[in-house]
Amino acid sequence: MGPKMAATRQGRSMVRIDRISTGTGDDGTTGLGDGTRVPKDDLRVEAYGSVDELNAALGLVVADGAPPRIATLLAAVQNDLFDVGSDLCVPGRSDDRGRIDASYVRRLERELAAWNTGLEPLSSFVLPGGSPLAARLHVARTICRRAERRVASCRRADPARTNPGVLTYLNRLSDLLFVLARVANDGGRSDVPWRPGEGKG
């Protein structure tokens, strides 16, 4: 999640960053938010690293001229993703499920329903492309799906300490990014359809 930081479960309190480089990871390990040292390719680190990559991809979408309404939504999602990363970085307990709860998911579902209204009906799978904005949103969507897969691995390996809400949130977010990509393609009218078998000689 960027610089080394001490994560906290104190509600919405801010995190103090004492220094950017600690040198403690030179042996190939990193510290989780609870102080546990794990290999840098640990499943949990892969999961919140993928979430961090998704956040950066969304930052590019916003910085590269997304329309204000989409930019505002994605900025809120970027903030959510730090909550997601915190839940993954600090392994939870059965009595402490983390920041991401059903309210986050319901908000995404409301956005999904609103943005999906009025889109051209899908008659085929679509290729990741069309407008530059749609293409960038598709890139973010695929990173989101990878983050979802990594979190699924964490859930399978360590279910009692991995917030199940994180998996649901990422699942809904990937759907929302797909819908936003269609919005960016003139409401789906500029989507690039998949043509099965077109490359056969």
Side-chain angles (χ1 to χ4, degrees):
M1 305 225 346
K4 301 287 184 185
M5 62 181 71
T8 175
R9 286 206 182 275
Q10 298 173 4
R12 297 183 178 277
S13 60
M14 298 302 291
V15 177
R16 191 183 74 195
I17 302 174
D18 294 318
R19 48 188 174 156
I20 300 300
S21 179
T22 63
T24 56
D26 294 346
D27 64 352
T29 66
T30 190
L32 298 180
D34 63 357
T36 306
R37 301 296 297 182
V38 296
K40 289 191 174 183
D41 59 355
D42 181 84
L43 282 177
R44 190 169 292 279
V45 179
E46 284 285 348
Y48 69 71
S50 295
V51 170
D52 191 29
E53 186 179 347
L54 168 60
N55 208 334
L58 293 179
L60 182 60
V61 174
V62 172
D64 221 14
R69 190 174 162 217
I70 291 179
T72 298
L73 169 58
L74 294 183
V77 168
Q78 285 188 281
N79 195 76
D80 289 353
L81 290 176
F82 265 82
D83 289 340
V84 168
S86 174
D87 278 2
L88 293 169
C89 183
V90 185
R93 305 181 305 275
S94 60
D95 61 337
D96 181 14
R97 303 305 281 181
R99 288 183 169 91
I100 300 297
D101 59 21
S103 67
Y104 284 73
V105 175
R106 286 194 298 269
R107 181 166 48 82
L108 286 189
E109 288 174 340
R110 288 193 298 269
E111 292 286 355
L112 187 57
W115 286 97
N116 196 49
T117 301
L119 291 182
E120 285 287 305
L122 278 170
S123 58
S124 170
F125 289 107
V126 298
L127 304 184
S131 71
L133 174 59
R136 287 190 290 273
L137 285 162
H138 276 297
V139 170
R141 173 186 59 79
T142 61
I143 297 171
C144 187
R145 284 297 191 197
R146 172 155 46 84
E148 184 184 354
R149 293 193 298 272
R150 297 295 183 266
V151 173
S153 296
C154 281
R155 282 280 299 155
R156 189 167 58 249
D158 194 8
R161 301 197 308 154
T162 306
N163 181 357
V166 166
L167 194 61
T168 307
Y169 180 89
L170 292 172
N171 193 3
R172 296 299 184 282
L173 179 56
S174 61
D175 290 340
L176 178 59
L177 293 173
F178 177 78
V179 165
L180 290 177
R182 300 200 67 221
V183 170
N185 273 341
D186 192 24
R189 286 176 284 278
S190 299
D191 282 340
V192 183
W194 172 47
R195 296 183 175 85
E198 189 176 68
K200 286 184 178 179

